[in-house]
Amino acid sequence: MPENLSTFDFNDENSNVSDNPRFEKIFEERLSRRQWLGHAAAGAALGLTSHAGLAAASNAPVKVRVTAKTWPPIVELKFNSVAKSLEDKVQVATGYRYQVLYALGDPLDSQTPDFKNDGSDTGFERRAGDHHDGMEWFGLDAMGRPSTRSVNRGVLAVNHEATTDEKLTSFFIHPTGGQPSLPRLASEVDKEVALHGLSVVEILTDSSIWRYDRNSLLNRRVTPLSPAQLMGPARGSAHVITRYSPDGLNSRGTLNNCGAGKTPWGTYLSGEENWTGYFFRDGQDDERRGATSPEVIALRRYGRPAGAASRHGWETAGVQESYSRWNINASASAPQDDYRNEINTFGYIVEMDPYHPQTSIRKRTALGRMAHENVCFARPLAGQPLVAFMGDDSRNEYIYKFVSEARWDPKDAEPVDRLAIGDKYLDRGTLHVARFNPDGTGDWIELSLNNPRVANSALFPFKTAADIAVYTRIAADLVQATKMDRPEWGGISPRTGELYITLTNNSSRNASNVDAANPRAYTDFKNDRAQKGNVNGHIVRIGHRRPTDTQFSWDIYLFGSEALADAAQINLSNLSDENDFSSPDGLVFSPATGICWIGTDDSAYADKTNCMLLAAIPGRVGDGSSHTLNYSENTTEKSVKAHIGKPATSLSVKRFLVGPRDCEITGCCETPDGKALFINIQHPGEATPMAAVLDPSRYTSQWPSNAGYGAGSRPRSATIVITKEDGGVIGS
Ligand code: FEO
Ligand code: CA
Ligand code: CA
Ligand code: CA
């Protein structure tokens, strides 16, 4: 257990101690310079979406990604940038307004009482959960049927990632902060568990005011206790046998749901992120399992060494299995008699049908097990495999790609049984992991038994597809994937088809381990405190001829930085006061406008500004230039050549919104006409000390009650909707 929970960042875990080399050591495997030049030329052609250019660049017949029929996109951001701010309110660009739509504790039916927001509320199985995160819009027509065109009625599917904690307890939802010691009280744990998971809430507008429908039959909660089906390669494998499911077919619930995604067939995807910290192992558990056994190797690699305390101590609340499941000691003689494998039932992409509250969630284990963020799909092409991209958000983890075995049939876009289509595309396929070469090329390396580095490893016995699905990180270590600065969300530009992935920051990047794709390590001061590493994060960009290609070209689209930072080593994208930012996290391209929305989850720049939402109009891979970064630290003298996108201007990147104190901005989605933008304000007031729980004057935020929403003054995570005052398309 970290000593000070109030300042520990559960996103900042680092379990990758593999000696997976960096690419300076693997020059022999990279493409020749000559090959790269040809590839870059192809990438440039792709950026122009030119049929002729693409055909010429490829030997094989190419199904060209044509731009959407609704194009052309917005080419100019027609609003004035919002100033950085430390005020405790949501500030949105002039000409726009926002409403609070759906906050922590809001009841999802009329039987559940109004939220009092004083810590006495219960029944969170029928209320909005906490820490609203990834989110997607799913339209409904006037009859309440699924609609991809509706713009005034729909459901929002929302991730509820975590709770605001100190010393074990989620203090704002208990009357006086909860009991911060072991054993935990069952009544407190029951509330904390139910605050996690997913929700579905119906929303509608009469064209001026948006509201949520408290009585909708589509309103739903999924919690860590809801039934779940394990699907894909891990289904029925020895890795997921538990006392709850001796056949390994099912599991309980979902946890730490962070980034989100939407499938081409209209379901919701949710990434389980920082689940590892919820499980307890005692100091003898390595011995019970065998100190050198594969399961012990895997537990360490996934951040659960023997003796690991759990984040909330839920395992101590009683003898019932709903509590004891969080204790993963191998305590019985066989796995079907204990919960040693419970941890292997988390860490997946979860699929939910937001239109069918009666269907259970399905865990898509073929997409690998990691600290998942979102999933974004390359535009489906008839007759081609589906391709999805994902990040693993811990320090020095990797970027992944999934290629489906099934080939896309456009008829599957509007199916009767949506989850059956999920079975078709997401349960069989091949994972790949990204290696970024210093010359601006990259490789997607297959993680399967076809790859001898995986199948013949002396370090870990990969024998089945289930082994790779459950121990994905270990397979990736074996193939010299590039350790990244905490990969968060990815998005696909509708203009170019290129992939953008945020790398939020990395406190363990330093002069000796910088590389071309993670080229910065520096010191920044927050007040008087020195912060080191890649303090402010960056956004990497990947271009392919076709998304199924195993080679790509890349550059770094944008570096987070303070405007005043050194332009030679830190502020490499030329950010100014109008667009400087830190720790990019949520990243979503608007299908309606092509705007790239970037939300921040930052504490590094929090002495100067609260977190924000930026709007950007990016170009394409290769539109900038290379720049050499020089390091001289102790005995290390090193140069790294960074491939940097065209510098930002005050026209191409603008700050659209600044949130209240201590929040993260996340969950960006919109109506299909681009006229209503939904975002989540996550954990305002998070830095409040638990001792202040009864003293609102000491809360670091009182949002949204100070904006006129709801009872009490404890801060609440919430969904807001932003519209343009003239009713127009946002950003135009
Ligand atoms: Fe939940 Fe990586 O942020
Ligand atoms: Ca600073
Ligand atoms: Ca995130
Ligand atoms: Ca984050």
Side-chain angles (χ1 to χ4, degrees), residues 9-12 133 161 256-259 271 273-274 371-373 392-394 486-489 504 585-586 601 664 666 682:
D9 180 357
F10 284 94
N11 286 292
D12 200 26
D133 204 333
E161 183 181 28
N256 278 101
N257 305 81
C258 187
E273 189 192 14
N274 294 313
H372 272 291
E373 286 287 329
D392 180 357
D393 180 15
S394 287
R486 294 186 48 196
E488 292 256 13
W489 292 49
T504 195
D585 189 326
D601 173 16
E664 167 183 346
T666 182
Q682 189 188 58

Side-chain angles (χ1 to χ4, degrees), residues 21-199:
R22 298 178 189 280
F23 46 54
E24 291 87 340
K25 296 180 187 166
I26 52 172
F27 272 92
E28 75 281 2
E29 294 201 18
R30 68 176 185 159
L31 296 176
S32 72
R33 178 72 187 162
R34 191 161 158 224
Q35 284 172 297
W36 151 239
L37 287 170
H39 196 62
L46 174 65
L48 296 168
T49 60
S50 146
H51 286 230
L54 278 163
S58 172
N59 296 327
V62 174
K63 290 263 186 181
V64 176
R65 284 194 300 274
V66 290
T67 47
K69 286 199 181 92
T70 50
W71 227 238
I74 287 175
V75 293
E76 187 184 349
L77 297 166
K78 290 188 178 160
F79 61 86
N80 292 325
S81 201
V82 177
K84 285 169 283 193
S85 169
L86 292 168
E87 288 191 65
D88 188 28
K89 61 185 187 183
V90 172
Q91 299 179 71
V92 65
T94 302
Y96 293 83
R97 62 185 170 194
Y98 88 95
Q99 295 170 240
V100 181
L101 196 53
Y102 176 60
L104 162 68
D106 277 344
L108 288 168
D109 57 38
S110 52
Q111 291 81 50
T112 301
D114 289 348
F115 191 59
K116 294 200 283 290
N117 196 22
D118 59 3
S120 68
D121 303 279
T122 57
F124 285 91
E125 295 81 1
R126 293 298 295 163
R127 298 182 182 278
D130 205 351
H131 282 211
H132 301 39
D133 204 333
M135 172 168 69
E136 295 285 354
W137 158 272
F138 298 88
L140 294 166
D141 69 14
M143 304 295 291
R145 296 170 302 204
S147 165
T148 55
R149 289 181 293 279
S150 171
V151 296
N152 55 16
R153 182 181 181 192
V155 294
L156 291 175
V158 185
N159 286 343
H160 297 289
E161 183 181 28
T163 53
T164 297
D165 306 333
E166 188 179 315
K167 293 179 186 151
L168 302 167
T169 112
S170 310
F171 60 92
F172 273 128
I173 56 106
H174 303 309
T176 57
Q179 179 178 292
S181 59
L182 301 177
R184 297 295 315 281
L185 295 172
S187 58
E188 292 182 1
V189 170
D190 291 346
K191 287 170 70 168
E192 291 173 10
V193 170
L195 285 164
H196 293 69
L198 315 174
S199 66

